[in-house]
Amino acid sequence: MNYTNSSVGSGSRTGRRAFEFGRTYVVRPKGKHQATIIWLHGLGDNGSSWSQLLESLPLPNIKWICPTAPTRPVALLGGFPCTAWFDVGELSEDCPDDFEGLDSSAAHIANLLSTEPADIKLGIGGFSMGAATALYSATCFALGKYGNGNPYPVNLMTIIGLSGWLPGARNVRNKIQGSHEAARRAASLPIFLCHGLCDEVVPHKYGERSNHALSLAGFQNLAFKSYDGLGHYTVPKEMDEVCNWLNARLGL
């Protein structure tokens, strides 16, 4: 495992504000490099903790890239600054989404993937806010562009979201169904969602709603798994199923 320093200077900078991304941790494949997956941490965390877990998984042909989100004021925490992929106030249908922050993080992630060899399969996964960012990236891939209209540059092969939600869920269906090409890309992208029934941070209903919104938007290769007794964390059984999903969908 090693790390590099990354910032928004590589194309993720926005016009109004700019936050510097933290340290990026890389877990190199122990076998033949066949796939690269970006894994995104949750609110207030960093790439290091997940890189240690991912390194222990029996997936020798995957390279994991674990970036660290920028430190920014977060409305949910009363403006207290911490690592966050975007600003969030509350989890509700009425709360406005920070599309500028989402676009900035999605572009940073895509930039990290864009330097991978052409024959490598690419994916994005994450936990909590990281899962939300992964799912937003999935919609950008389907639409072929970020929310700000800039083209989305990479070809995604899989998305994994643990204990997360779908930002902008209200408008995803109309956007994707308005384009035959977007609908085709959405239908072809495998997405695996997992959520604990006892999650008190991101309640299970938000996972269900996200699954429903993605399905209505035309993401047909979609699986949603619920876990009895699971709160806002991950357990070995869940990670075992993530491994099985990746092996099957990526042909590892």
Side-chain angles (χ1 to χ4, degrees), residues 20-152:
E20 185 169 328
F21 287 83
R23 189 172 288 178
T24 296
Y25 296 80
V26 178
V27 179
R28 308 248 170 231
K30 298 178 179 69
K32 180 185 177 183
H33 184 197
Q34 294 179 294
T36 295
I37 296 178
I38 300 274
W39 192 271
L40 307 172
H41 62 76
L43 180 66
D45 202 357
N46 60 66
S48 175
S49 58
W50 277 97
S51 70
Q52 294 171 49
L53 171 62
L54 297 168
E55 192 169 24
S56 70
L57 298 180
L59 293 168
N61 301 324
I62 292 180
K63 172 185 174 182
W64 300 94
I65 301 177
C66 303
T68 298
T71 297
R72 69 175 80 214
V74 177
L76 183 67
L77 306 177
F80 185 82
C82 72
T83 53
W85 299 108
F86 54 94
D87 190 18
V88 60
E90 58 179 307
L91 289 182
S92 81
E93 305 268 327
D94 304 318
C95 186
D97 290 293
D98 174 22
F99 287 111
E100 186 179 1
L102 283 159
D103 277 345
S104 175
S105 288
H108 179 69
I109 294 157
N111 287 345
L112 291 172
L113 287 173
S114 66
T115 60
E116 292 298 293
D119 61 336
I120 298 301
K121 298 169 183 175
L122 306 177
I124 305 173
F127 174 78
S128 191
M129 177 180 267
T133 308
L135 291 177
Y136 181 73
S137 296
T139 64
C140 293
F141 163 71
L143 292 166
K145 60 186 178 182
Y146 300 103
N148 60 19
N150 291 336
Y152 190 79

Side-chain angles (χ1 to χ4, degrees), residues 104-227:
S104 175
S105 288
H108 179 69
I109 294 157
N111 287 345
L112 291 172
L113 287 173
S114 66
T115 60
E116 292 298 293
D119 61 336
I120 298 301
K121 298 169 183 175
L122 306 177
I124 305 173
F127 174 78
S128 191
M129 177 180 267
T133 308
L135 291 177
Y136 181 73
S137 296
T139 64
C140 293
F141 163 71
L143 292 166
K145 60 186 178 182
Y146 300 103
N148 60 19
N150 291 336
Y152 190 79
V154 294
N155 183 33
L156 297 177
M157 298 290 289
T158 192
I159 297 286
I160 296 170
L162 311 183
S163 307
W165 72 96
L166 173 63
R170 287 169 293 184
N171 301 316
V172 169
R173 180 183 183 182
N174 288 340
K175 289 180 179 179
I176 290 179
Q177 295 304 320
S179 161
H180 290 298
E181 189 63 20
R184 183 191 65 77
R185 282 193 292 263
S188 70
L189 179 63
I191 300 179
F192 187 39
L193 303 177
C194 302
H195 218 112
L197 287 163
C198 297
D199 193 329
E200 296 179 349
V201 179
V202 181
H204 182 266
K205 66 181 180 181
Y206 289 103
E208 286 185 311
R209 290 174 184 173
S210 299
N211 179 59
H212 184 61
L214 288 165
S215 178
L216 286 177
F219 289 90
Q220 298 173 13
N221 197 342
L222 184 65
F224 181 70
K225 180 83 175 180
S226 301
Y227 294 85

Side-chain angles (χ1 to χ4, degrees), residues 235-246:
V235 289
K237 180 183 178 183
E238 184 181 41
M239 296 311 296
D240 286 346
E241 297 200 54
V242 167
C243 291
N244 292 339
W245 170 270
L246 288 172

